[in-house]
Amino acid sequence: MKMTRTALIIALAMPFSLVSTGIAAQTSKPNIVFILTDNLGYGEVGAYGGGITRGAPTPRIDSLAEEGSRYLNFNMETQCTPSRSSLMTGRWAIRSGTHSVPFGGVTDGLTRWEVTIGEALSDAGYATGYYGKWHLGSKDGRLPNDQGFDEWYGIPRTTDEALWPSASGWSADIMPPEQIMEGKKGEKSRELGAYDVVQRRKIDAEITRRTVSFIEKQAKADKQFFAYVALTQPHLPTEPNPEFKGKTGNGDWADMLAEMDAHVGDILDSIDKAGVKDNTIVVFTSDNGPEYIRPWDGWAGPWRGQYFTALEGGIRVPFMIRWPNKIPAKRVSNEILHGVDMFATLATFGGAKVPTDRPFDSHDQSDFILGKSEKSAREGFPIWCADRLQAVKWRNWKLHFYRQDNMFDPPVKNPVPTIFNLYTDPREEKPTVDTWVVGPVLKIVGEYQESLKQSPLIPMGTPDPYKPGASL
């Protein structure tokens, strides 16, 4: 179309960013869709050696590795709650009183003093939605809509509680069932019904439906959005949706994997249909290693161990990230990353602020993920099992202070720390004599211990209101 002289003068007088909507779109902050699975082992999806070898191909999940980057050394904490805490706050969970999966009798979850990535991105102008398992507080005041999210739907705790209503001897008078809930910022969350095995089979479909609706709504409103999608699969009981039951012919686990892939596909399709693919970051990962309890036990690929242990199988998980034309496609890296780094990294991508008034363990990995650097901003990290510093990982070495082969084994303190070279012994079975590694490992431990002098740990069960330095 030919531009008139008047229109041309007006256009030239306008700020350049307002002249071209194409350029404006390219320079705007990205949408973020963060998909977190529950106890999905390293070796489950096709891009990490699983998929068809586990009874069901995962083409939609694997497409993120083709269109984006795949990381072979992405690490989490050893249990669900601490992993979710460090993702949410950018701080080791030991600092926040969330170092262990909570059981009844104590105040659970994050204090309101903690700053979440939801709050940071909300303050930066994002619409924020949380869908799925929370596990960071089960009472009003500590639910997602109290911690920076405009809306949420899901369960406040965890999926094994779905077994309670059908358990022999169980009574709601003794132990009330977990509730599926929803809520909006500034309002009290409401209960939608008991989370039992029937609802367990259906909840990921509803999580996905609500995520898709949120994406469509925000894209239509031309609003930057952050969708945190905490799927409940494959946490025990690993029961597929009725629509997927028997679909693969290879059992419930494979049917669940096919279901998970379909849900991820639905989310990716909604991003495409909304026309925001080029400006949307999509992450796919897991909160820790695989299940241990049969018949729902998972697979950690080449690594030994599972969740609740400091072995590689307990902490190393799949991680893929896509941002078309920004994050390199088909890139594969074995550089160390940790879930705690997601806060600083996503904050950089979203133009959000990070806390400066407390120890903050998150490293900004934006340059590394964008391909501007071949090296991660992190060389190592401490590994806690509950409140016990169990091991430290540094480069391709691992130093264990305790021995524990599975979640039910009592931890046994080693008379001297055992050191493993993960290149030559990925299953951590044959200690090396590389004692020089103790130096950089103890530096990591020392830096953490030094930080405690100014900011003591928040004890698990600490009620609100909490303020640093106040007597508990």
Side-chain angles (χ1 to χ4, degrees), residues 157-207:
R157 295 187 300 275
T158 188
T159 291
D160 51 80
E161 295 184 30
L163 293 168
W164 291 359
S166 55
S168 175
W170 174 82
S171 168
D173 295 331
I174 299 172
M175 188 65 100
E178 182 173 17
Q179 296 289 314
I180 300 172
M181 304 181 74
E182 67 177 3
K184 294 186 177 181
K185 186 181 290 185
E187 300 177 6
K188 184 177 180 180
S189 292
R190 68 187 190 98
E191 297 178 348
L192 301 177
Y195 186 46
D196 57 16
V197 173
V198 172
Q199 295 304 318
R200 190 277 167 279
R201 298 184 184 111
K202 298 178 179 179
I203 193 167
D204 277 13
E206 182 63 11
I207 290 167

Side-chain angles (χ1 to χ4, degrees), residues 168-319:
S168 175
W170 174 82
S171 168
D173 295 331
I174 299 172
M175 188 65 100
E178 182 173 17
Q179 296 289 314
I180 300 172
M181 304 181 74
E182 67 177 3
K184 294 186 177 181
K185 186 181 290 185
E187 300 177 6
K188 184 177 180 180
S189 292
R190 68 187 190 98
E191 297 178 348
L192 301 177
Y195 186 46
D196 57 16
V197 173
V198 172
Q199 295 304 318
R200 190 277 167 279
R201 298 184 184 111
K202 298 178 179 179
I203 193 167
D204 277 13
E206 182 63 11
I207 290 167
T208 301
R209 186 193 71 78
R210 292 190 182 226
T211 300
V212 167
S213 177
F214 177 78
I215 291 170
E216 291 173 345
K217 177 181 176 181
Q218 305 309 326
K220 186 175 181 180
D222 198 23
K223 175 84 171 176
Q224 261 79 40
F225 60 83
F226 173 45
Y228 199 115
V229 190
L231 298 173
T232 67
Q233 296 282 21
H235 193 292
L236 72 84
T238 311
E239 300 273 357
N241 187 287
E243 292 187 8
F244 287 84
K245 180 77 171 177
K247 185 170 185 177
T248 67
N250 295 320
D252 283 350
W253 186 273
D255 292 345
M256 173 281 301
L257 202 56
E259 178 192 350
M260 179 185 289
D261 192 66
H263 291 324
V264 172
D266 288 343
I267 293 170
L268 296 179
D269 288 344
S270 72
I271 293 169
D272 289 349
K273 291 175 184 177
V276 294
K277 178 178 179 179
D278 286 348
N279 201 40
T280 299
I281 295 171
V282 179
V283 172
F284 178 89
T285 189
S286 175
D287 61 349
N288 43 243
E291 289 284 355
Y292 179 69
I293 300 172
R294 293 181 179 177
W296 304 293
D297 47 326
W299 188 42
W303 318 111
R304 187 165 66 93
Q306 60 293 125
Y307 68 168
F308 284 80
T309 75
L311 295 165
E312 287 297 284
I315 62 171
R316 200 184 291 215
V317 297
F319 182 88

